[in-house]
Amino acid sequence: MKCAVVGFPRVGKLRELKFVCEKYFRGEITEEYLNEAAREIRKEHWQLQQSAGIDFISSNDFSFYDNMLDTAILLDVIPNEYRELNLNQQNTYLAMARGYQGIQGDVKALAMKKWFNTNYHYMVPELNDDVQIKLFGNKPFDEYVEAKALGIETKPVIIGPFTFLKLAKYIGSKTADDYVRQATNAYTAILKKLNELGTKWVQFDEPVLVTDLSEDDIRLFVLLYETILEGKSNVKVLLQTYFGDVRDYYRDIAKMKFDAIGLDFLEGKQSLKLLRTYGFPQEKFLFAGVINGKNIWSCNYKKTLELLSEIKKHAENVIISTSCSLLHVPYTLEYETKLEAEVKKHFAFAIEKLGELHELSIIAETESYDYKAFTEYTNNRKIYETERLYNDENIQAAVATLTEEDFIRKVDRKDREQLQKKEFGLPLLPTTTIGSFPQTQDVKNNRSSYRAGEIDEETYDRQVFVFIKECIRKQEELGLDVLVHGEYERNDMVEFFGENLAGYVFTEKAWVQSYGTRCVKPPIIFGDVRRIRPITVKYSVYAQSLTKKPVKGMLTGPVTILNWSFPREDITLQEMAYQIGIAIREEVCDLENAGIRIIQIDEAALKEKLPIRREEWYSEYLDWAIPAFRLCHSSVKPETQIHTHMCYSEFEEIVKDIDNMDADVISFEASRSKLSIIDVLKANHFETEVGPGVYDIHSPRIPSVEEIVEALQKMLEKLDRNKLWVNPDCGLKTRGVPETVASLINLVKAAEIVRKQISIEHDFTKNG
Ligand code: GLN
Ligand code: ZN
């Protein structure tokens, strides 16, 4: 059996690409130097795959910034404002990626969006009415030739026309349908050129096929490819899907003239069923995605071979492949020196997955199904023989015995509201912040000295307390109503909690690309999760001791902790979320017992793993995600006020569920997105008090008093004045001190002005 890789991580084993790109951005190296470094990285990646025995190696999976953006350039989809900068192709590309500010002009970057259900973000191509899609760039051809020169035949990977057109943003009056002709011509030209180069296979990525589509969408897909495939000559075309299954369109696709179809058998819950029901066309190759491109666990050969033999019953020509690009897993285990062997043996990152692919492709060949004859197989079996570390029967029992009561606050929202109004005596439109204050160099130095072992915990904490004290003083001076301690003890909302939870393991170099050159290092949930010790209590208690105003306790919620970690695969997401929920609940109780009266539980990533298919939103996700949050705060006193925070306001479609989290107050990003969410809140009789962010913290710009006043007035047209809070968009940790102070001064002033307006109005109606 042959084996294939959908795509390989591109950032380099020690993030070489990131560092060399950033040097280029800072003007420290030339374009030639940058390109040479990139060539080295590509070469290493191809050779690695070749020596691992991979039969179908991708090219053009490399990118300096993003593959969607690469495709935009390939198709000449370059908005005028970037063209008019008159930069060379490389710098035009980077201007679209990062914005440009210089002698040639001042243009913002293209928008960025989450890539399906991953934590990767792509650049959104913009199609205005002037754009003419046509073959323009050379990247896939150049990289194919480059690999060929190294003696490696690759399959260029290109984002397909359907996914490209569906994900693009239409600025003018045209829609996807208006570009069909141009797109088919461009892709036909791509095939022609590849044919001239002698390319054997090309892979068109069409992940949009795993989303809910209309009949028109499918018609568009068929229309595009019928024409494109019509003109193809010797190049074989692989239609690659991932992140789910193609349930309703399988038969349409199977009929078409693709030479191969790539299906995801891991996230694609119905892929196998589709094969069983409809079979697989004899003349085609099936690229069976059975090696997980999204998670870090060793492949269980027994299970995977069973799956493969099931697949082989229905398809004649099977090639074993990854479920999606390996972009979403870290590069290699090689540099993980601190993991215990008992832990490490359970993991396979990208390079180790190549080994698995190759081994499986050999074992799967055997006709007799006598896998035990292979030492690779018996070695793999050994991983699963011993009991997993960090099994915790107590926590398992605690989850198993949760009852309905554990998810319900005793007093309902309306009554709580009254009690809390009395308890806190806050003014109308109370002002607050989201939690973190600027992480100054001093704050960072303190943390790195501690991490390096130069100072002990006590010294470290003493310094954190100094920062907290100054932060409280500053907030009192600013006149904010509900204070925070500033989050100086953490720089990451998940890692900080993970470090205090049993069951978590951390890596040293396991970076995964998030966007552009930015990477994240998600911790791994290895075993049952339990809180080891109080996590935030000392900081919050100290902060509260400095002031009469309420200081919010500040926690990360269970769904966010789960979504920003690599999850286990041996228990359900729900179980993990409840285990983490119990840990956070213990922290909530300790905070409350220590006199903290307002507790914020951030759920910044709540929407991140909402299933791609609407029919699975509840059964697969919201039915446990919302309860996991409720579990954290169900047992607090009615006077204790629970806040939550989200980093986005695109929750229109699930407002009811957000309300159902039963928090008392929610803050969210609203300054960049138009205030349309406010209408939705009103229409749905949203009950939770709300703090839509009144200014954007992602930019150093200082908002004026007038614009904040105006934003608040707009909000008050739709929202109950007794339920409106005034706060920035998100935490202030990435900002500098001067702009933060200036912005908050204006925020407090604006709140005061609007409060006065309200009271005048109030007197007027009372007397008038
Ligand atoms: N409380 C966190 C902060 O203020 C929230 C961060 C976030 O939403 N990403 O930094
Ligand atoms: Zn946020």
Side-chain angles (χ1 to χ4, degrees):
M1 203 183 269
K2 295 217 155 118
C3 57
V5 170
V6 173
F8 198 73
R10 56 187 186 237
V11 75
K13 57 181 179 299
L14 293 168
R15 291 181 293 159
E16 290 85 347
L17 183 65
K18 169 192 171 69
F19 298 116
V20 73
C21 281
E22 288 171 359
K23 273 194 187 142
Y24 180 72
F25 299 158
R26 290 193 299 264
E28 293 166 15
I29 54 168
T30 62
E31 196 174 322
E32 288 70 53
Y33 188 97
L34 173 68
N35 286 331
E36 184 49 39
R39 239 191 316 273
E40 274 308 307
I41 291 171
R42 290 193 289 266
K43 177 168 145 192
E44 183 177 354
H45 293 177
W46 288 323
Q47 290 180 337
L48 257 169
Q49 294 176 74
Q50 185 186 41
S51 58
I54 305 301
D55 302 289
F56 291 86
I57 299 171
S58 294
S59 56
N60 199 41
D61 51 351
F62 174 85
S63 178
F64 279 111
Y65 209 88
D66 167 53
N67 293 121
M68 272 299 266
L69 185 58
D70 295 337
T71 314
I73 296 272
L74 177 70
L75 300 175
D76 205 19
V77 178
I78 304 172
N80 291 335
E81 62 261 39
Y82 302 101
R83 260 182 228 285
E84 284 156 11
L85 294 170
N86 279 316
L87 303 167
N88 69 8
Q89 202 185 97
Q90 175 92 339
N91 290 330
T92 305
Y93 174 85
L94 291 178
M96 290 164 79
R98 311 178 60 240
Y100 177 91
Q101 223 168 11
I103 37 172
Q104 310 282 98
D106 184 353
V107 197
K108 278 201 215 142
L110 289 176
M112 202 162 62
K113 253 197 167 151
K114 243 168 66 66
W115 181 241
F116 299 87
N117 56 1
T118 72
N119 194 15
Y120 178 75
H121 300 74
Y122 68 96
M123 305 301 301
V124 184
E126 259 177 35
L127 287 165
N128 58 44
D129 290 351
D130 301 335
V131 159
Q132 293 271 343
I133 295 182
K134 59 179 171 302
L135 177 56
F136 168 72
N138 273 318
K139 184 173 176 290
F141 316 117
D142 291 348
E143 288 182 19
Y144 172 78
V145 172
E146 191 180 307
K148 188 97 175 179
L150 297 165
I152 303 173
E153 173 70 27
T154 56
K155 63 169 159 62
V157 181
I158 300 171
I159 294 190
F162 181 62
T163 292
F164 185 82
L165 289 177
K166 286 297 292 176
L167 297 185
K169 190 156 99 190
Y170 296 82
I171 303 291
S173 58
K174 290 188 180 166
T175 65
D177 291 331
D178 300 308
Y179 292 100
V180 169
R181 231 342 219 304
Q182 294 173 13
T184 52
N185 286 343
Y187 279 80
T188 305
I190 291 171
L191 283 181
K192 182 160 172 270
K193 190 137 181 191
L194 289 172
N195 195 43
E196 284 160 19
L197 295 173
T199 313
K200 299 200 170 71
W201 281 88
V202 63
Q203 170 182 321
F204 288 134
D205 281 5
E206 292 288 10
V208 167
L209 283 176
V210 310
T211 65
D212 292 322
L213 298 175
S214 67
E215 279 179 18
D216 283 345
D217 290 327
I218 280 303
R219 237 181 317 229
L220 174 68
F221 177 85
V222 172
L223 193 63
L224 284 163
Y225 276 103
E226 264 178 4
T227 321
I228 295 166
L229 296 172
E230 200 59 50
K232 91 184 168 69
S233 31
N234 296 321
V235 192
K236 292 199 165 59
V237 177
L238 159 61
L239 170 72
Q240 183 66 51
T241 65
Y242 40 79
F243 303 147
D245 55 61
V246 294
R247 49 192 75 161
D248 304 324
Y249 341 112
Y250 177 73
R251 280 183 297 170
D252 297 291
I253 296 165
K255 280 203 296 254
M256 298 177 68
K257 285 195 194 150
F258 295 105
D259 300 285
I261 299 177
L263 299 178
D264 177 348
F265 286 90
L266 300 181
E267 279 192 279
K269 290 190 211 75
Q270 300 192 15
S271 294
L272 190 58
K273 190 175 124 200
L274 290 169
L275 287 193
R276 283 192 182 127
T277 317
Y278 305 110
F280 188 82
Q282 252 185 15
E283 74 287 356
K284 290 193 195 340
F285 292 87
L286 172 61
F287 282 66
V290 296
I291 291 284
N292 199 327
K294 276 229 195 121
N295 212 342
I296 43 76
W297 303 96
S298 307
C299 171
N300 182 330
Y301 285 5
K302 183 164 181 281
K303 278 198 194 151
T304 306
L305 288 161
E306 278 161 15
L307 174 60
L308 275 171
S309 79
E310 239 350 85
I311 293 170
K312 281 202 288 184
K313 284 184 194 154
H314 309 281
E316 216 136 290
N317 310 306
V318 179
I319 288 157
I320 164 169
S321 183
T322 55
S323 63
C324 61
S325 168
L326 297 174
L327 178 69
H328 310 290
V329 291
Y331 197 97
T332 176
L333 276 167
E334 190 186 332
Y335 303 103
E336 301 305 327
T337 55
K338 295 193 184 142
L339 292 175
E340 299 163 72
E342 276 307 292
V343 170
K344 201 168 172 175
K345 70 175 188 193
H346 286 279
F347 299 150
F349 297 171
I351 293 201
E352 293 77 32
K353 285 177 193 281
L354 299 179
E356 294 181 338
L357 273 167
H358 184 63
E359 289 184 4
L360 280 171
S361 71
I362 293 170
I363 304 171
E365 286 272 272
T366 153
E367 297 289 313
S368 61
Y369 295 101
D370 180 18
Y371 303 134
K372 287 202 198 69
F374 293 89
T375 46
E376 291 87 351
Y377 181 83
T378 48
N379 285 342
N380 182 268
R381 288 312 304 147
K382 281 188 200 138
I383 299 176
Y384 306 94
E385 268 165 13
T386 47
E387 198 181 328
R388 182 84 158 252
L389 283 180
Y390 314 136
N391 252 338
D392 188 328
E393 278 163 21
N394 292 331
I395 182 77
Q396 289 167 13
V399 171
T401 51
L402 286 172
T403 62
E404 217 167 295
E405 297 216 323
D406 288 301
F407 300 94
I408 301 172
R409 265 185 97 165
K410 309 289 162 297
V411 176
D412 66 52
R413 201 195 310 262
K414 287 219 170 60
D415 298 331
R416 275 173 3 223
E417 199 175 311
Q418 293 318 312
L419 288 167
Q420 291 170 13
K421 290 253 174 305
K422 220 184 282 156
E423 168 81 16
F424 298 109
L426 295 170
L428 268 185
L429 312 184
T431 54
T432 189
T433 59
I434 306 303
S436 59
F437 264 68
Q439 295 254 329
T440 57
Q441 201 52 50
D442 286 349
V443 174
K444 289 180 189 156
N445 290 346
N446 188 44
R447 189 174 311 114
S448 51
S449 309
Y450 177 54
R451 295 248 151 145
E454 290 155 22
I455 54 171
D456 62 9
E457 191 179 330
E458 217 188 298
T459 318
Y460 169 76
D461 274 343
R462 213 177 307 127
Q463 191 53 46
V464 170
F465 284 6
V466 172
F467 299 135
I468 292 176
K469 190 168 186 177
E470 172 57 19
C471 187
I472 296 289
R473 193 195 63 73
K474 194 83 228 169
Q475 293 174 83
E476 294 218 297
E477 188 181 305
L478 285 162
L480 289 157
D481 299 309
V482 172
L483 313 191
V484 296
H485 74 282
E487 300 185 22
Y488 300 108
E489 74 290 353
R490 56 186 106 154
N491 68 342
D492 183 289
M493 345 173 24
V494 172
E495 193 172 47
F496 172 73
F497 285 87
E499 279 167 354
N500 293 288
L501 300 174
Y504 259 91
V505 303
F506 296 88
T507 55
E508 289 163 81
K509 304 275 190 257
W511 297 95
V512 180
Q513 247 171 309
S514 166
Y515 66 88
T517 55
R518 220 190 116 78
C519 299
V520 294
K521 196 157 61 70
I524 299 167
I525 305 179
F526 188 82
D528 293 322
V529 173
R530 176 176 51 80
R531 190 182 71 144
I532 304 169
R533 58 183 93 85
I535 306 171
T536 61
V537 178
K538 61 183 169 191
Y539 305 113
S540 288
V541 167
Y542 176 67
Q544 185 63 81
S545 76
L546 301 169
T547 175
K548 292 212 169 58
K549 291 188 170 176
V551 178
K552 289 191 270 190
M554 202 51 71
L555 307 174
T556 305
V559 186
T560 297
I561 293 183
L562 174 63
N563 285 353
W564 281 345
S565 308
F566 285 116
R568 295 164 66 173
E569 285 174 348
D570 58 332
I571 64 172
T572 61
L573 292 171
Q574 168 171 347
E575 245 170 305
M576 278 177 273
Y578 286 3
Q579 290 185 358
I580 302 168
I582 289 174
I584 298 299
R585 165 152 91 171
E586 290 172 6
E587 186 73 10
V588 167
C589 293
D590 281 356
L591 283 171
E592 185 181 58
N593 289 333
I596 303 301
R597 298 178 299 159
I598 303 186
I599 300 168
Q600 178 171 313
I601 309 168
D602 291 330
E603 282 292 14
L606 183 102
K607 227 189 85 185
E608 199 140 300
K609 297 264 165 84
L610 190 69
I612 290 178
R613 300 284 191 168
R614 198 178 268 263
E615 58 181 306
E616 291 166 5
W617 278 8
Y618 288 91
S619 58
E620 302 284 327
Y621 189 72
L622 293 170
D623 283 349
W624 55 260
I626 303 298
F629 179 87
R630 298 172 61 122
L631 176 58
C632 301
H633 69 88
S634 59
S635 62
V636 299
K637 294 184 290 200
E639 294 84 0
T640 299
Q641 191 169 65
I642 297 295
H643 291 217
T644 188
H645 166 72
M646 282 172 199
C647 291
Y648 49 82
S649 54
E650 298 106 49
F651 51 77
E652 274 104 338
E653 296 179 304
I654 54 167
V655 282
K656 287 268 187 235
D657 306 285
I658 302 292
D659 220 9
N660 209 3
M661 291 163 77
D662 205 22
D664 299 300
V665 181
I666 178 172
S667 62
F668 51 85
E669 174 274 320
S671 67
R672 279 171 306 166
S673 48
K674 282 157 249 100
L675 286 170
S676 57
I677 180 71
I678 307 285
D679 295 308
V680 181
L681 296 179
K682 186 179 158 84
N684 283 277
H685 310 287
F686 199 69
E687 289 182 5
T688 317
E689 295 181 26
V690 291
V694 293
Y695 78 89
D696 177 14
I697 62 89
H698 302 87
S699 127
R701 195 175 159 273
I702 298 162
S704 67
V705 176
E706 295 72 38
E707 73 187 76
I708 302 179
V709 167
E710 200 183 314
L712 289 171
Q713 285 166 339
K714 279 224 181 82
M715 292 171 192
L716 282 168
E717 285 168 18
K718 309 269 166 71
L719 298 170
D720 180 350
R721 64 170 72 139
N722 295 306
K723 288 191 179 232
L724 183 62
W725 286 65
V726 183
N727 48 256
D729 252 349
C730 192
L732 303 163
K733 60 170 170 265
T734 56
R735 293 271 61 88
V737 175
E739 79 240 25
T740 297
V741 171
S743 302
L744 292 176
I745 288 177
N746 291 355
L747 177 143
V748 171
K749 264 194 211 143
E752 279 164 2
I753 291 173
V754 180
R755 267 177 217 150
K756 266 204 203 102
Q757 292 171 344
I758 294 176
S759 75
I760 293 169
E761 215 178 281
H762 184 73
D763 290 347
F764 182 75
T765 39
K766 210 166 61 186
N767 305 330

